[in-house]
Amino acid sequence: MLKQQRLNIIQELLSQKEIVQVSDLTNILNVTEMTVRRDLKTLEDAGKLLRIHGGAKPVDNSFNKELSHIEKQEIMIEEKKYISKKIANLIKSGDTIFLGPSTTIENMYDYMEDFPTRIITNSIHVFNKFNNSNKYDLILIGGSYRYRTGAFVGSIANQALSKMRISKAFIGTNGISRNEIYTANEEEGTTQEIVLNNAREKYIVADSSKIDKEDFYKFYNLDEITALITDEKITDKEKKDIEKYTRIIC
């Protein structure tokens, strides 16, 4: 049995039970205890379960404390690099793009090609990354500053963005559940909604740990976007669920 098949079975069992035991999984999957423990570690690293003594339990898919920019930089590092390359590959010469607050999105600077691009952002961290180069026409949207994420939000930001038309928007998220896309703050969510409504191509950016998760504020629907950009750790079941609503790039 392939590893991805084992991971899918473990997640399916966890959707039915409060706890799964390592001993039970060795029998069901017909593999060694060491293999089961490695599979559980893989799923835990992807945010899909919590390991406990002798087994695992489902993660709480409801929202938790909003992570700071620094905390987000320290998790899912390889997955974010992978997604950043995918984003950069979608940019064409002459595009007007919006880059939302996201540690994944700001990393795409390292993979951008050298051609004329207008970049609009309300993230001080994205701005600082791209401000290292004079290759781009860079616009920072001001407003009320959220220190936790480095985003400018509120009426000033929203008024400016409502007048702009964007070729491609790339927006991060804290969670995706069924057809709904979530963030931790309603002001950021409102700003993101305005951007997406004014974009010709609308992309949501989320590493695989964000899938099947909810947060405080639902700001958009999957069936309204162009595609979800994620990493290769997304499971077959998650792909199937998301593809009911939109295309996946991974």
Side-chain angles (χ1 to χ4, degrees), residues 59-203:
V59 295
D60 181 1
N61 288 335
S62 61
F63 58 91
N64 296 305
K65 177 179 76 73
E66 182 182 15
L67 297 179
S68 69
H69 179 263
I70 294 175
E71 289 171 323
K72 289 177 180 177
Q73 284 182 315
E74 297 173 350
I75 59 175
M76 305 294 284
I77 295 172
E78 292 306 313
E79 290 80 5
K80 290 176 179 178
K81 289 180 181 178
Y82 176 90
I83 296 169
S84 297
K85 294 176 185 178
K86 294 290 182 180
I87 299 171
N89 288 337
L90 292 170
I91 310 303
K92 306 300 180 186
S93 179
D95 276 346
T96 294
I97 64 174
F98 180 89
L99 303 180
S102 164
T103 52
T104 301
I105 291 172
E106 67 192 54
N107 287 337
M108 67 174 279
Y109 172 81
D110 299 326
Y111 309 104
M112 284 279 287
E113 292 190 38
D114 185 6
F115 46 57
T117 310
R118 178 187 289 121
I119 298 173
I120 304 166
T121 185
N122 67 327
S123 165
I124 191 63
H125 302 299
V126 171
F127 175 83
N128 286 338
K129 199 74 177 276
F130 280 84
N131 198 38
N132 290 324
S133 170
N134 60 3
K135 295 185 296 184
Y136 308 109
D137 180 4
L138 186 58
I139 299 171
L140 177 64
I141 299 298
S144 299
Y145 182 64
R146 291 197 73 226
Y147 177 80
R148 189 159 198 82
T149 60
F152 292 97
V153 296
S155 60
I156 295 174
N158 295 344
Q159 184 176 8
L161 288 166
S162 67
K163 298 177 181 179
M164 297 182 181
R165 296 299 176 264
I166 298 159
S167 305
K168 298 165 185 173
F170 299 89
I171 300 292
T173 179
N174 288 8
I176 295 170
S177 179
R178 298 174 298 279
N179 191 32
E180 299 179 333
I181 306 168
Y182 292 89
T183 189
N185 178 267
E186 70 277 10
E187 287 191 305
E188 286 201 29
T190 299
T191 300
Q192 290 164 341
E193 181 183 10
I194 290 169
V195 170
L196 290 169
N197 286 342
N198 287 350
R200 198 159 56 236
E201 296 180 25
K202 317 168 198 291
Y203 296 96

